[in-house]
Amino acid sequence: MKTRFSSPDNREHLENECAGYVARLRETFGLEPDDAETPLLRGLLRSAVELEPEDLQSLEPAALVERAKLEDEDRETILELAALPSCARRDMAQGRCKQLRELAERERRQSKLEQAVADGDHDRARAILSSTARPDTPKASRIGAWSPFPLETLPPVLSRFVEEHARSKGVDPSMIALPLLGAVAGAIGNSLAVRAREDWREPVALWIATIARSGSKKSPSTKAALRQLRDIQSRYFKVAKDANAGRQEAEEPVKARRVFVDDCTPEKLLALLEENPRGLIYATDELAQLLGSLGRYRSGRGASAGETAQLCRIYDADSIDYDRKTDGHRHIPRALASIVGTIPPATWRQLATLDLQTSGLVPRFCCAMPPTKPGEWTEDDLDWRVEQAVHALLERLLAMPCEPNAETGVPEARELRLDADALGRFRRVYNRLQGQTHAREGLAASASGKAAGLVLRVAAILHACGDEPDADEIDGETMRRAVELADWLHAERLRVFAMLETDSETAGRAELVSSIDWSRYPKGVTGRELWKDRKTSFADADDAERRLRECVADGLLEEHFGTRGDPAKGGRETLYFTRRENLQTETPSIDDE
């Protein structure tokens, strides 16, 4: 050392190296600045000055122990840490000292506990146990893991459409399936309803919210699912335009039949529903347009109770009475609209305020936050016959009769009943959901209270798209698939609501875990792999690994060491992160048969 660092520059370099080394020692072994004179640090420093400069970067505890004059307790701690894999020792230099030190402390406390029990000192044993009690499970660990969309529950005409577009766009099937279900529900509108019993009539409407970050192809996916309905809407407009081309000025203009509404205020939506008693689809690339419009004219005071109550009534096909300054009192006997939209996670958290949660507006949405993955170029074209089949299905649904009653003005819907098998299945589901609702609170309780109605709505959609759409009863097999699909929709929205109820930082980590396509990482993902996939999201591989460790601390992920590459060819130990195997959604399955 003295011969290599004889010059002042070399000595200054050594001092700088040692200063950085001291900082790493303090961080690694959990030492405060005031602990600089402890035997542990003094011994480590004594060994440090005898090491070569390159050894100062390696931070090998075993080498330090051999050279340092330490107390027995300190020596034991370092030896236990040194027994960890090499990648764990690397983590010590990156700041995971607290977790690593706990490994040694746990063994030491266990031996102390055994000694206290052997000595019959129960007070000392209880004190040791209380000092090692595990903290409460982080709230984030109760956020369920992503479950694949149950594609097999859809009718073949829809499942083929979803598969084709998901493969073509490189997205999760749910990003196509959910808006497609919303489109089908909107096409049915007030033409169908389910009569579960004499005092329970469930309409057919779905509110869909696909929550995904920018660049995840959520907008192209939604547009693909709605394109056929938009084409039909364009044809309606052309028919009306051609009919009005030769009309006389005194003649009443022909109004185009409306299927879609894009960007409008809740008040304008009511006016359009009055003109279209069959119902409408509010479809938008940005759901923030609707949520942000609530209270737009109330000087920034947020959504009024009247606005949110009216929207909730639109979900339930209730009658709505409202007054306008221009033409006075207006009445809509059965207002119904499906909503299909997308929204980024941060915007969702900002706009899904406590007022909208408690009003019942947010719990009515079927929310999904699917994982994203980088797309890959494909030469495969979409099968035009699949597109044509969905187009024909939507045309048939839109042609189902739904004329207002001549006396009451109420749209007359065909009511579907449940056959004996379907009723038995639904009865079991209903009783189970009531128990879940009673055991919950907040958003989860509100959403669970609406899950039974969701089952009936999904059953009506599957029935209308099935082989016998003209039958007046929903059969048991259709109900079975409806229960499975509604189970997925309900579980996923509870997962999203759990994120909404956590703090923003915790929710951000949960969103990160949800957005990873875990099928690409059977052994688990590394920080470097995540950074390579999303270089715009992380400064470097270490930054990505730090974020993954934060997810471990929240209970969202587990970490383990594994060999990267072929061990026979010098494969190195690597830290992998995997989803917790025991994670489940906060509620059990709707139907656990």
Side-chain angles (χ1 to χ4, degrees), residues 68 108 115 138 140 162 212 239 242 247 253 263 280 321 452 470 517:
R108 189 179 301 156
Q115 186 61 46
V162 172
V239 169
D242 293 344
R247 75 178 180 88
D263 183 18
L280 292 169
D321 290 84
D470 296 328
D517 181 10

Side-chain angles (χ1 to χ4, degrees), residues 169-244:
K169 293 176 175 55
V171 297
D172 187 85
S174 64
M175 296 187 76
I176 305 293
L178 265 66
L180 182 60
L181 285 170
V184 172
I188 294 172
N190 269 322
S191 65
L192 278 184
V194 181
R195 180 68 69 176
R197 57 178 184 239
E198 292 305 318
D199 61 343
W200 186 352
R201 178 188 181 278
E202 192 70 31
V204 181
L206 292 179
W207 288 6
I208 303 296
T210 303
I211 305 171
R213 59 188 178 87
S214 298
S216 60
K217 304 177 186 175
K218 61 181 183 297
S219 294
S221 300
T222 301
K223 288 179 181 178
L226 301 177
R227 183 178 298 120
Q228 301 304 318
L229 270 184
R230 290 192 181 275
D231 290 346
I232 295 172
Q233 174 76 87
S234 297
R235 179 166 61 81
Y236 289 163
F237 279 127
K238 186 178 185 304
V239 169
K241 182 179 180 179
D242 293 344
N244 289 323

Side-chain angles (χ1 to χ4, degrees), residues 86-143:
S86 59
C87 51
R89 296 199 295 274
R90 180 205 64 195
D91 294 335
M92 292 164 55
Q94 296 178 352
R96 293 185 68 240
C97 55
K98 182 178 180 181
Q99 294 168 310
L100 295 172
R101 189 175 179 85
E102 284 177 355
L103 295 176
E105 291 293 329
R106 192 176 306 152
E107 294 297 327
R108 189 179 301 156
R109 287 173 180 170
Q110 180 64 27
S111 63
K112 291 180 179 179
L113 177 62
E114 293 174 355
Q115 186 61 46
V117 173
D119 295 342
D121 192 341
H122 300 297
D123 291 337
R124 181 156 56 96
R126 280 192 292 269
I128 295 172
L129 283 174
S130 62
S131 67
T132 58
R134 293 178 59 85
D136 292 337
T137 302
K139 191 171 185 178
S141 68
R142 297 196 294 270
I143 299 175

Side-chain angles (χ1 to χ4, degrees), residues 487-503:
D487 179 17
W488 186 92
L489 293 170
H490 180 55
E492 176 59 14
R493 71 176 169 187
L494 286 181
R495 191 178 73 91
V496 174
F497 290 162
M499 296 183 196
L500 187 63
E501 290 181 320
T502 62
D503 61 87

Side-chain angles (χ1 to χ4, degrees), residues 78-382:
I78 297 177
L79 283 173
E80 288 169 348
L81 293 175
L84 294 170
S86 59
C87 51
R89 296 199 295 274
R90 180 205 64 195
D91 294 335
M92 292 164 55
Q94 296 178 352
R96 293 185 68 240
C97 55
K98 182 178 180 181
Q99 294 168 310
L100 295 172
R101 189 175 179 85
E102 284 177 355
L103 295 176
E105 291 293 329
R106 192 176 306 152
E107 294 297 327
R108 189 179 301 156
R109 287 173 180 170
Q110 180 64 27
S111 63
K112 291 180 179 179
L113 177 62
E114 293 174 355
Q115 186 61 46
V117 173
D119 295 342
D121 192 341
H122 300 297
D123 291 337
R124 181 156 56 96
R126 280 192 292 269
I128 295 172
L129 283 174
S130 62
S131 67
T132 58
R134 293 178 59 85
D136 292 337
T137 302
K139 191 171 185 178
S141 68
R142 297 196 294 270
I143 299 175
W146 168 260
S147 297
F149 181 84
L151 198 58
E152 67 280 359
T153 61
L154 296 179
V157 63
L158 299 183
S159 62
R160 285 195 295 268
F161 183 93
V162 172
E163 286 178 320
E164 286 272 326
H165 279 277
R167 174 183 51 79
S168 172
K169 293 176 175 55
V171 297
D172 187 85
S174 64
M175 296 187 76
I176 305 293
L178 265 66
L180 182 60
L181 285 170
V184 172
I188 294 172
N190 269 322
S191 65
L192 278 184
V194 181
R195 180 68 69 176
R197 57 178 184 239
E198 292 305 318
D199 61 343
W200 186 352
R201 178 188 181 278
E202 192 70 31
V204 181
L206 292 179
W207 288 6
I208 303 296
T210 303
I211 305 171
R213 59 188 178 87
S214 298
S216 60
K217 304 177 186 175
K218 61 181 183 297
S219 294
S221 300
T222 301
K223 288 179 181 178
L226 301 177
R227 183 178 298 120
Q228 301 304 318
L229 270 184
R230 290 192 181 275
D231 290 346
I232 295 172
Q233 174 76 87
S234 297
R235 179 166 61 81
Y236 289 163
F237 279 127
K238 186 178 185 304
V239 169
K241 182 179 180 179
D242 293 344
N244 289 323
R247 75 178 180 88
Q248 301 297 322
E249 186 176 346
E251 294 178 349
E252 187 73 18
V254 176
K255 289 187 177 182
R257 177 181 175 183
R258 295 293 296 269
V259 177
F260 271 94
V261 177
D262 283 318
D263 183 18
C264 68
T265 64
E267 184 179 6
K268 180 61 176 176
L269 179 60
L270 292 179
L272 292 172
L273 287 174
E274 186 178 0
E275 298 173 0
N276 298 271
R278 183 189 184 89
L280 292 169
I281 303 173
Y282 186 106
T284 175
D285 287 343
E286 295 295 340
L287 193 58
Q289 293 177 350
L290 175 64
L291 299 180
S293 68
L294 295 174
R296 181 179 294 173
Y297 306 108
R298 302 183 68 242
S299 303
R301 290 176 290 164
S304 68
E307 286 177 321
T308 54
Q310 286 176 346
L311 282 176
C312 290
R313 295 176 75 83
I314 289 173
Y315 177 85
D316 297 323
D318 287 338
S319 62
I320 295 179
D321 290 84
Y322 68 105
D323 294 283
R324 301 176 64 183
K325 292 182 179 179
T326 55
D327 49 7
H329 179 75
R330 312 298 297 176
H331 174 74
I332 309 174
R334 188 166 283 167
L336 182 68
S338 290
I339 298 176
V340 177
T342 66
I343 190 169
T347 308
W348 169 256
R349 290 181 58 82
Q350 178 184 358
L351 295 178
T353 60
L354 183 60
D355 288 343
L356 297 185
Q357 294 175 35
T358 56
S359 69
L361 187 72
V362 171
R364 283 171 164 79
F365 276 94
C366 290
C367 311
M369 190 180 294
T372 58
K373 55 184 178 182
E376 296 181 356
W377 176 258
T378 175
E379 298 290 344
D380 297 336
D381 291 328
L382 295 170

